Amino acid sequence: MISSRNIGVVAAVATLLAAAPLSAIFQGWTWLIESIIAVAVVAGVAALTRLVRAPLWGQVLGMLAGLMLALTWLFPSGEELLAILPTPGTFAYFGDLLAGSMQDMRSYGVEVPDTDPLLFIAVLGVGAVAVLVDVLAVGLRRPALAGLPMLAIYSVPVAVYVDSVPAVPFVVGAAGYLWLLVTDNVDRVRRFGRRFTGDGRDVDVWEASPLASAGRRLAAVGVALAVLLPLAVPGMTGGLLDSLSRGSGNGTGNGGGSGGTSGRIDLFASLAGQLNQSQVADLVKVKTSEQNPFYLRYAVADELRPSGFQARNPSGRSVNRDLPNPAERAGPGVQQATYQATVEVSKSLSMSLMPVYAEPTRTDDLSDNWLYDTNQQVVFSNRENSRGRKYSFDYVRSTFTQAALRAAQPLPADHPVRRQMTATPAPVPEVEELVKGLIQGKRTDYDRVLAIYQHFSADNGFSYRLSTESGSSGQDIVNFLTNKVGYCQQYAAAMAWLVRSAGIPARVAFGFTNGSKRDGDTYTLTNLNLHAWTEVYFDGAGWVPFDATPAYGVPGATRSPWAPDNDAPETPSPDTEVPTTPTDPGASAGPSSPDNADRETDEGFAAGGTTPDEQPPVWPWWAAGLVALLALLAVPALRRLALRRRRGGREVRAAVASASVDGDSEPGARPVVVSVDASRARADAHAAWAELLDTLVDFRVPVDPTETPRATADRLVRDALDDDEAIGSARLLGRAEERARYARDPLTGERLLPALRAVRAALATRADRRTRLLATVLPPSVLLRWRTTLADRSGRMVAFTGRARYRLLRWNPRRMLADRAAR
């Protein structure tokens, strides 16, 4: 009974350890605390039912009842009896939680918040797994099968996590499972009483057996391989080779900066950092019916930190449902037109977001796993990625006049958008003073935003550069506003910060400029077109874009009538409606113009290309890999050839020479026979016989090591040879080996090498094509010899380890003390 209680406790703890991967999908640790309570109740009830010797079905019912009481106490509906006894209203509430969990799983992206529906389904799942593990490990004594429900817990984060699940929770869960197996096996061994080694020596209980030690080592190696091998496989998410291959081309900045490779994009608009994007990769192709579209966007960052803007987890519903109609909130002066676009994402870009133009109204070719966040106006998924996707959508393009934006009324102080989108970190005196001076005397929100927007101009000393400069203030925003150099992220984040300080909602948007690769109505967007800009909220207009980055630094930059180019020589009149047109790369504002030839241009801020235009050719690496593979496959054949040549160099035959007394050759001189050394003849016969046996193995002729050489030769002649020359050669080789083994004088004067060739030719003629090919490329005799050698060395290593361990145990202090006490 005590052992069952011990195993029950270990089963409960192992279940909690197996639930560690859930930490990758929850923002907090509430799920863990509530799961500990539920599992503790299940384990306690299981121990009590076993204490009263209840049958297995009684134990299961007791554990389920305990789990229900725990859930009732953790998730009360208000209709319980004595706070823990469920009622029909409780079960109805649990049904609502289950339905709500389905909705929350479709709405939230990982990491998910601690909502009651998600916590309920997590605790319910962990508790149910605890019941199954206890039944399998304790009731049925099948702890190995308990790994299946534990694996079910691990499959949840694997199925919903966008990136790869961290390795540490997997190791924790695996350790719990191994602990359960070890505990069960130790209990089984103890039931047999005192253990013995088999040679009459008893083993104390505290002394681990060699088999147990080997099992622990194998378990540790298995867990290590399970963690390290996926990290080292190219192409797997989060792979070690992928991280080692990350080099130049990654923007970096504080707080996570703007790094990214292989199409992975970090949604963080930092206020410091640098760009070093030397490689170019096509990421998106977009075809639109709009003549001059605005930026293609995929994400926003609206959580302001001291180092920049951070993206929040989006939430929403399926894009295939009715999407919001922008016309419902459009105020006077807002012009809207509907267009259609088709986007094709390359295989170089893999993220959980889909690039779309602002305010989509309908989508095609996207599954229900893709959701739309009406607040962030982004399309996202918790289960799929954008790699290689092609889809179409309708969208509404809104344009605004300056008069319409001036007529927009400030949002009330308690408006949700204003409360959330005007939040800033601790007040920065330099920022507050700058904003106060810029908006002084401005009567409308638009005039205040326009004054802040116009501050980021060349007339005020701002310029575009691929890196920021450090400062002495210790604050990134102050450093940028003082040094006045940076790229799109700094401009977008700084303007959004200043607008928020003025009490106006603002955020940072991420997307692509139109670029310069255009074929009719199709745009090819690369990592050089990745861009960030500011969006400001106006009542009756919604989110209005402002791009404060100098236009000369952004290929394909677009300016609007309500936010004209600060550095343009001419500015349109305030109320003149001018159609939005992308900057022509060949115009004066473009990076290639003579006036801006020496200025740096935006090289993309967050994605690294995998198919660069100037990347070195890949075929030399493939050729080198192919050569290495062929060389590896040729090792057995080369080994067999070298062995055959070494044996063939010992051909034995009598040497006949003519000599005279004076050493000159004369006609009719008496020939002198030079005999061969017996030991040399015996060694050569053995070498020839060994070569014959290897030849038999290569051509799949059975070899019986218990037969005599003559019996082997007779069987070979009877079963495999039908050529007279080959038959005589086989009998010659058998007779030579027999004389070398058993006779006083070995056989000499016979040509063994031609005999070997004759037998090999006869066997090759009789064999099929596959056998001949394997005998040449992968000789079975070499592979068999390698396997035998490896097995022998492993056996010797095990024997050596056992002897060393035995000698060390003889000097173990505990054994020495036990022996002295026995005396």
Side-chain angles (χ1 to χ4, degrees):
M1 188 62 64
I2 295 178
S3 63
S4 297
R5 279 182 280 174
N6 291 338
I7 299 177
V9 173
V10 174
V13 177
T15 302
L16 292 174
L17 294 178
L22 293 180
S23 61
I25 62 175
F26 277 96
Q27 293 179 353
W29 294 96
T30 307
W31 70 271
L32 179 59
I33 298 175
E34 295 180 346
S35 298
I36 292 176
I37 295 174
V39 173
V41 172
V42 170
V45 173
L48 290 176
T49 54
R50 282 190 287 268
L51 185 63
V52 298
R53 300 184 181 277
L56 182 59
W57 61 266
Q59 298 176 23
V60 174
L61 292 179
M63 287 186 287
L64 292 177
L67 177 60
M68 183 58 61
L69 293 178
L71 292 174
T72 304
W73 183 69
L74 292 172
F75 303 95
S77 65
E79 301 181 9
E80 291 77 18
L81 299 177
L82 301 178
I84 60 172
L85 298 180
T87 62
T90 303
F91 292 103
Y93 178 66
F94 287 170
D96 294 338
L97 290 178
L98 288 175
S101 66
M102 299 297 105
Q103 178 63 31
D104 286 351
M105 284 188 288
R106 290 191 296 265
S107 301
Y108 290 104
V110 291
E111 300 171 345
V112 299
D114 291 339
T115 64
D116 284 344
L118 293 178
L119 291 175
F120 175 78
I121 195 172
V123 176
L124 175 61
V126 174
V129 170
V131 174
L132 290 176
V133 171
D134 190 274
V135 171
L136 293 173
V138 184
L140 301 178
R141 297 310 298 267
R142 296 291 187 272
L145 295 179
L148 294 178
M150 293 181 181
L151 184 62
I153 299 180
Y154 185 74
S155 64
V156 174
V158 171
V160 304
Y161 206 72
V162 177
D163 295 324
S164 58
V165 180
V168 174
F170 171 77
V171 174
V172 173
Y177 178 59
L178 294 176
W179 184 20
L180 178 62
L181 295 179
V182 170
T183 303
D184 177 77
N185 281 276
V186 169
D187 177 71
R188 291 177 183 272
V189 171
R190 285 176 176 171
R191 292 185 179 186
F192 291 97
R194 196 171 183 83
R195 294 186 293 119
F196 294 87
T197 61
D199 56 359
R201 183 175 61 87
D202 59 337
V203 181
D204 294 333
V205 174
W206 53 266
E207 183 179 334
S209 67
L211 184 59
S213 300
R216 286 191 293 270
R217 287 193 294 269
L218 290 176
V221 172
V223 173
L225 289 178
V227 173
L228 298 178
L229 187 59
L231 296 178
V233 174
M236 299 188 70
T237 305
L240 179 62
L241 297 181
D242 178 60
S243 62
L244 293 178
S245 64
R246 295 179 182 180
S248 61
N250 304 339
T252 57
N254 296 343
S258 52
T261 64
S262 301
R264 299 183 60 83
I265 297 177
D266 297 332
L267 303 180
F268 190 91
S270 63
L271 287 160
Q274 62 180 359
L275 288 178
N276 185 19
Q277 189 77 17
S278 60
Q279 298 177 344
V280 181
D282 294 341
L283 299 182
V284 175
K285 288 185 178 180
V286 55
K287 181 179 181 181
T288 175
S289 59
E290 186 177 4
Q291 182 67 24
N292 298 305
F294 195 66
Y295 299 152
L296 185 71
R297 63 198 299 277
Y298 54 79
V300 296
D302 53 19
E303 183 180 354
L304 180 55
R305 299 180 180 181
S307 55
F309 278 81
Q310 174 72 49
R312 298 176 186 267
N313 289 326
S315 62
R317 61 180 184 176
S318 172
V319 294
N320 295 323
R321 299 185 183 182
D322 294 334
L323 298 181
N325 184 6
E328 297 177 355
R329 53 135 175 91
V334 179
Q335 300 179 359
Q336 295 180 332
T338 302
Y339 302 97
Q340 197 272 340
T342 300
V343 175
E344 182 177 357
V345 182
S346 72
K347 294 183 179 181
S348 301
L349 181 61
S350 177
M351 59 181 180
S352 60
L353 301 161
M354 279 293 193
V356 293
Y357 290 112
E359 301 178 312
T361 59
R362 185 187 62 86
T363 62
D364 289 329
D365 306 321
L366 290 179
S367 67
D368 288 336
N369 290 331
W370 290 97
L371 313 177
Y372 181 71
D373 189 321
T374 56
N375 295 323
Q376 298 186 12
Q377 298 175 324
V378 298
V379 177
F380 69 99
S381 176
N382 298 324
R383 299 177 180 272
E384 300 183 19
N385 61 69
S386 61
R387 186 174 184 266
R389 300 279 180 178
K390 185 177 182 180
Y391 53 96
S392 301
F393 60 93
D394 296 338
Y395 67 96
V396 172
R397 170 72 185 281
S398 300
T399 57
F400 317 94
T401 62
Q402 294 185 357
L405 295 179
R406 283 194 175 93
Q409 297 298 318
L411 293 177
D414 59 346
H415 195 282
V417 174
R418 181 168 183 176
R419 286 202 315 267
Q420 184 178 15
M421 299 303 170
T422 58
T424 58
V428 180
E430 294 85 350
V431 174
E432 300 294 331
E433 183 179 355
L434 175 62
V435 172
K436 184 178 180 180
L438 292 175
I439 67 175
Q440 185 176 4
K442 308 300 181 183
R443 296 184 178 181
T444 66
D445 281 353
Y446 171 72
D447 289 327
R448 299 185 184 99
V449 173
L450 188 61
I452 295 173
Y453 170 78
Q454 293 174 344
H455 176 71
F456 299 95
S457 64
D459 294 339
N460 293 321
F462 283 87
S463 62
Y464 188 89
R465 189 179 300 176
L466 299 183
S467 62
T468 57
E469 295 181 357
S470 60
S472 58
S473 66
Q475 295 175 308
D476 293 337
I477 180 64
V478 177
N479 293 337
F480 174 72
L481 295 175
T482 302
N483 299 323
K484 300 182 179 181
V485 292
Y487 51 101
C488 60
Q489 285 194 43
Q490 284 77 52
Y491 282 95
M495 179 180 173
W497 190 321
L498 268 59
V499 171
R500 285 193 174 194
S501 298
I504 304 173
R507 65 189 185 187
V508 175
F510 299 93
F512 296 88
T513 64
N514 294 326
S516 57
K517 295 183 178 181
R518 182 173 180 176
D519 182 11
D521 55 357
T522 301
Y523 295 85
T524 299
L525 309 180
T526 71
N527 54 316
L528 300 187
N529 300 123
L530 287 166
H531 190 47
W533 62 94
T534 306
E535 292 182 343
V536 183
Y537 191 86
F538 291 93
D539 188 23
W543 291 101
V544 180
F546 289 80
D547 191 358
T549 307
Y552 65 80
V554 182
T558 297
R559 290 298 180 265
S560 307
W562 61 88
D565 187 1
N566 288 328
D567 301 326
E570 295 181 1
T571 305
S573 59
D575 296 326
T576 302
E577 296 184 12
V578 180
T580 304
T581 58
T583 303
D584 186 357
S588 60
S592 60
S593 64
D595 296 338
N596 299 314
D598 59 341
R599 297 184 178 183
E600 296 174 336
T601 59
D602 196 338
E603 295 188 358
F605 64 86
T610 57
T611 56
D613 292 344
E614 300 179 0
Q615 187 178 10
V618 182
W619 66 265
W621 296 100
W622 286 100
L626 181 61
V627 170
L629 179 60
L630 293 177
L632 183 63
L633 294 177
V635 170
L638 294 176
R639 172 61 179 168
R640 183 72 179 91
L641 181 61
L643 190 60
R644 186 181 302 122
R645 290 198 174 198
R646 187 171 70 245
R647 291 167 175 169
R650 292 185 172 184
E651 181 183 0
V652 180
R653 64 179 183 268
V656 181
S658 297
S660 61
V661 177
D662 55 1
D664 296 329
S665 298
E666 296 180 359
R670 181 182 178 183
V672 178
V673 178
V674 181
S675 62
V676 180
D677 181 68
S679 60
R680 173 67 181 273
R682 185 173 283 109
D684 292 343
H686 292 327
W689 184 252
E691 176 62 23
L692 175 63
L693 294 182
D694 285 350
T695 302
L696 296 180
V697 173
D698 290 341
F699 288 97
R700 301 186 180 279
V701 177
V703 175
D704 187 356
T706 63
E707 290 181 334
T708 64
R710 180 175 297 183
T712 300
D714 292 341
R715 180 171 56 82
L716 177 63
V717 170
R718 183 177 62 254
D719 298 339
L721 300 178
D722 53 7
D723 180 71
D724 294 339
E725 182 182 1
I727 292 174
S729 299
R731 295 189 185 280
L732 171 62
L733 294 172
R735 188 168 64 256
E737 174 64 12
E738 188 178 46
R739 290 280 299 272
R741 288 187 186 182
Y742 310 118
R744 177 176 299 177
D745 298 324
L747 184 65
T748 59
E750 300 292 344
R751 304 189 61 175
L752 303 181
L753 182 58
L756 284 172
R757 292 174 180 171
V759 173
R760 181 177 180 86
L763 293 176
T765 303
R766 176 178 176 273
D768 55 24
R769 182 178 302 175
R770 180 176 180 274
T771 302
R772 292 196 300 269
L773 179 62
L774 290 178
T776 304
V777 179
L778 293 174
S781 61
V782 174
L783 302 181
L784 177 61
R785 184 174 288 105
W786 285 351
R787 288 196 297 267
T788 304
T789 303
L790 180 61
D792 292 342
R793 291 182 178 178
S794 299
R796 288 195 296 269
M797 181 61 68
V798 171
F800 174 77
T801 305
R803 290 193 300 269
R805 182 175 178 275
Y806 175 72
R807 292 190 179 94
L808 291 175
L809 289 176
R810 292 181 59 187
W811 297 98
N812 189 287
R814 298 183 62 177
R815 177 176 290 280
M816 295 175 66
L817 292 175
D819 293 342
R820 182 173 297 179
R823 294 173 185 174

